[in-house]
Amino acid sequence: MVSNTLITASLRFQQWMANEALPLWMSRGMVPQKNCHYERLTANGEPDLQSSTRVRVQARQAFAFASAYSRGWAPEGQSLAVQLCEFIEQNARHPQAAGGYVHLMDSEWNIADHKQDLYDHAFYLLAFAWLYKITGDAIYLDRAESLQSWLDDTFGSLVGGWLEGDYEASARRQNPHMHLFESYMSLYEATEQAHWLARAGEVFALFQTRFFDAEHQVLREFFDENWQPHPDTGNIIEPGHMVEWVWLLRWYGRLSGRDVSKWADTLYQKAYEIGFAPSGLMFDDINIDGSARANSKRSWPLTEVIKANIAQANAGHKECEARAGEAINTLFTYYLDAASVAGSWIDQRGADDEVINDFAPASTLYHLMVACTEAVDYCAANVQRSI
């Protein structure tokens, strides 16, 4: 039997997503007459009209709306997702480069930063995967193939992975590669084309050989140009990414047939040892020895805790069901119910769990949507199986 804690929490999460969050962000989050999305909402639920907007927000919202549409939670989700992707195509293509997209637009929707960033581009691939999934339109596969070719030709690295972008970076990061891993698996599931799974395998190899630190049992974040731990920032650890990799590794294991347990179990256990405050919130970052840094806690790491526990439960660790339910309840207590507007969220809490950032970044909807659907799908599959 599925944990009652998880069943109850997942139902609550689904109702909040479908009835509160999606209606808010699909209406107040969209820019009138522009077919694009605001960067964030203020604490009172109004668009922040002064903020610049990262172009990747359009892609992340396109993913969230497409996912909602695919489940029948938002009939308008398909058209909004298409609009957002077309906004990117028409307004954010790099004006000089032969491919790729710019980084930032100002409050008037003019290009403010022409930088091409690898992390951003991972989410364009994710959006293309989901737009193909819900529309069947091959144009999105063409865009994915074209963008991947551009990344390979322009930012491919002789020592593995891809460069940070078309700018001088202080360090190489695992984070963009983590999201490429996600996007490649999404493209493989949408198309059943083996070359996308092979791409995921390239990132998995980087994880095995560079990102995962077997001695300390952690995920490293920052590296020099040869994928060695960065001399200045190499000992900074993000527990949220450790549990996010648990979910990704289990996903890759299902698709590839590879046994990923030794990495997934190790990261999961270590994250629970060093990653949490007494309240159950997860630290944004810590030192490699587990000692504290700023003690801040954003909302998104808890969504990754939910996903990791669902992934572990699917792998046979049934005690993780209750932990997933508890994490959903903690998310509501500190971030979702704490917001002044239904369907919004608090972004970040401080050392004493006090609110230190009450803006609601639109990009967080991506994290919340995946956590919600993972929990809902797990309950649906396992409750049915036990009947």
Side-chain angles (χ1 to χ4, degrees):
M1 295 294 291
V2 180
S3 161
N4 287 330
T5 300
L6 178 56
I7 292 172
T8 302
S10 296
L11 179 60
R12 181 188 187 191
F13 206 174
Q14 178 180 339
Q15 291 173 338
W16 175 86
M17 180 62 71
N19 300 329
E20 297 181 20
L22 288 167
L24 174 70
W25 292 91
M26 287 182 166
S27 57
R28 213 171 295 181
M30 294 293 293
V31 183
Q33 284 81 53
K34 287 285 188 180
N35 293 336
C36 59
H37 204 284
Y38 290 110
E39 172 73 17
R40 62 187 188 177
L41 300 182
T42 63
N44 64 4
E46 296 300 322
D48 182 358
L49 300 178
Q50 305 307 312
S51 177
S52 55
T53 298
R54 297 163 296 172
V55 177
R56 70 171 176 261
V57 166
Q58 315 305 317
R60 285 169 73 139
Q61 295 301 82
F63 157 79
F65 296 164
S67 178
Y69 171 80
S70 73
R71 293 170 173 274
W73 295 355
E76 68 275 41
Q78 176 173 300
S79 61
L80 289 177
V82 169
Q83 288 172 23
L84 292 170
C85 278
E86 291 312 303
F87 176 85
I88 295 170
E89 207 64 26
Q90 294 169 18
N91 298 277
R93 276 200 167 275
H94 198 286
Q96 283 84 43
Y101 304 90
V102 300
H103 176 62
L104 196 67
M105 306 189 85
D106 65 21
S107 59
E108 300 299 320
W109 305 101
N110 301 306
I111 297 174
D113 187 344
H114 289 74
K115 176 175 67 179
Q116 290 193 316
D117 185 70
L118 182 65
Y119 181 88
D120 293 350
H121 286 70
F123 289 101
Y124 306 138
L125 289 172
L126 181 66
F128 295 152
W130 275 82
L131 264 292
Y132 176 72
K133 184 173 182 177
I134 64 170
T135 68
D137 191 336
I139 191 173
Y140 298 109
L141 295 189
D142 292 342
R143 289 177 183 174
E145 295 283 3
S146 176
L147 180 55
Q148 186 59 52
S149 294
W150 171 252
L151 295 178
D152 290 340
D153 293 344
T154 312
F155 305 118
S157 170
L158 292 175
V159 294
W162 294 265
L163 302 178
E164 294 295 305
D166 62 351
Y167 56 94
E168 290 294 326
S170 60
R172 299 191 73 177
R173 299 171 293 167
Q174 74 77 25
N175 196 7
H177 295 80
M178 176 180 72
H179 287 292
L180 286 171
F181 194 39
E182 174 186 17
S183 297
Y184 295 150
M185 290 190 287
S186 296
L187 283 160
Y188 174 66
E189 287 192 329
T191 66
E192 298 184 345
Q193 294 175 355
H195 69 279
W196 292 116
L197 186 58
R199 290 289 187 173
E202 294 178 37
V203 183
F204 177 64
L206 268 180
F207 166 82
Q208 290 176 288
T209 59
R210 302 303 183 194
F211 305 158
F212 180 71
D213 183 325
E215 178 185 355
H216 296 91
Q217 301 181 325
V218 297
L219 178 79
R220 287 193 182 266
E221 295 286 338
F222 302 107
F223 304 84
D224 67 17
E225 60 185 9
N226 293 311
W227 287 121
Q228 297 303 307
H230 195 277
D232 298 324
T233 56
N235 287 333
I236 297 174
I237 304 301
E238 295 192 27
H241 286 160
M242 289 175 64
V243 286
E244 191 165 4
W245 268 99
V246 172
W247 170 68
L248 288 166
L249 288 167
R250 292 295 187 187
W251 183 7
Y252 180 70
R254 292 195 305 274
L255 296 182
S256 67
R258 181 69 184 266
D259 184 359
V260 299
S261 296
K262 65 180 180 180
W263 298 285
D265 291 345
T266 297
L267 287 176
Y268 178 87
Q269 292 162 9
K270 193 66 173 182
Y272 264 86
E273 288 176 18
I274 64 176
F276 288 91
S279 59
L281 305 188
M282 181 166 264
F283 295 118
D284 290 338
D285 53 38
I286 56 178
N287 295 310
I288 197 167
D289 62 2
S291 59
R293 286 177 55 81
N295 286 330
S296 61
K297 306 118 182 165
R298 292 192 65 194
S299 58
W300 71 260
L302 265 183
T303 68
E304 304 305 328
V305 172
I306 295 163
K307 290 158 58 179
N309 276 290
I310 294 296
Q312 289 294 88
N314 267 321
H317 300 277
K318 294 303 180 183
E319 71 278 7
C320 294
E321 290 180 353
R323 280 185 169 182
E326 291 162 3
I328 293 171
N329 290 334
T330 301
L331 179 69
F332 271 93
T333 298
Y334 285 93
Y335 299 104
L336 307 187
D337 285 346
S340 301
V341 176
S344 190
W345 42 81
I346 297 295
D347 182 51
Q348 192 174 42
R349 291 182 176 269
D352 297 318
D353 294 339
E354 76 282 11
V355 175
I356 60 173
N357 185 359
D358 59 5
F359 281 100
S363 57
T364 304
L365 185 62
Y366 149 80
H367 291 282
L368 291 162
M369 175 61 73
V370 181
C372 180
T373 55
E374 288 290 302
V376 168
D377 286 351
Y378 179 86
C379 289
N382 288 278
V383 168
Q384 183 66 35
R385 191 176 295 126
S386 65
I387 294 175

